[in-house]
Amino acid sequence: MTATTTAPPTAPVPAEAAARARSGNAKAITWEIAKFVGSLVISFILILVIWWLFLLAFPDIGPIIGKTPVDVFHYLFTEPTSAADRGEIMDNLWITLKDAGIGFVCGMSAAIIAAALFVMFRPVAQTFMPIAMLLRSVPLVAMTPLITLVVGRGVAVVAVMGGIVVFFPALVMIMTGLANAPRQINDVIVAYGGTRWTAMRMASLPSAVPALFAAAKVSVPGAMIGATVAEWLGTNKGLGATLQQALPAAAYNELWASVLVITVASIVVYAFVGVAEKLVLAQMGTKPT
């Protein structure tokens, strides 16, 4: 009678282990994205509920002025003129999104450059940060006539006003991210003959990517607000101009529909930035701030 021996279990080959790890990471990222998008959907539903409860709590507003989400839905989708009304609002929405994009790019670019300069040159930060905060305390509406007088009513006023709204909160968050770069890495780069710019490019900026995305998410609603204000008071185009014209014309269906469309657009753009953040940071192996 011969004894049988049991072969030891074979360990998975490196390729299989790597494939399993990638599959697990993909599932984790997908789950994180699903939770993020789901939270935004719940937030939007809560906005609609609060809107409806607000009108119930203040019945003096009346059904002529206070339109419910159901009224807006009928205005956009079920009434005989819904197609034309919806088309006009969507055309204005594209203008507003373009204006918001211009302000977002200008504001974020200026914030990144200023934050890098302030972190590398502390005296510059100590000199100009109080001035920046003082300018931020001035209401944007009060600055609009002066900005319009200086730059005109075209794309420049959109870039300036949107950039102002985006710049200041992004500047603070990006500066924090850049300042938190590991000092040991900067010391190594300097020891090997690297300059401040080299340390900024190779150490500070990569470590500040979570802060950059956090600043971008905060800045997306601000860019929409800046674009709307610029259109309201400066360019007379887009949904900002629609809001300005609908109120005195008593076009309350159009007014509430425009507000809802701006809200949905802001949530959607915010979701895109949030999903991009999770994908990029997952590739980098870091967590969002």
Side-chain angles (χ1 to χ4, degrees), residues 74-144:
H74 289 315
Y75 174 77
L76 291 175
F77 296 104
T78 63
E79 294 182 357
T81 60
S82 292
D85 296 332
R86 187 172 63 251
E88 182 179 357
I89 288 179
M90 293 306 296
D91 290 340
N92 289 322
L93 173 62
W94 293 123
I95 296 174
T96 300
L97 288 176
K98 182 188 71 175
D99 293 341
I102 293 172
F104 178 82
V105 171
C106 293
M108 283 293 293
S109 300
I112 293 171
I113 295 171
L117 291 174
F118 288 174
V119 169
M120 288 191 298
F121 305 102
R122 294 295 180 180
V124 177
Q126 295 171 359
T127 301
F128 287 100
M129 276 297 289
I131 299 175
M133 293 301 102
L134 180 63
L135 291 175
R136 182 65 183 90
S137 65
V138 180
L140 186 61
V141 175
M143 297 173 60
T144 302

Side-chain angles (χ1 to χ4, degrees), residues 157-192:
V157 69
V158 172
V160 172
M161 295 182 65
I164 289 174
V165 176
V166 170
F167 175 78
F168 293 100
L171 173 65
V172 174
M173 300 182 74
I174 295 171
M175 280 185 63
T176 302
L178 293 175
N180 289 335
R183 185 174 297 274
Q184 296 84 350
I185 299 178
N186 288 333
D187 293 340
V188 170
I189 293 174
V190 174
Y192 278 90

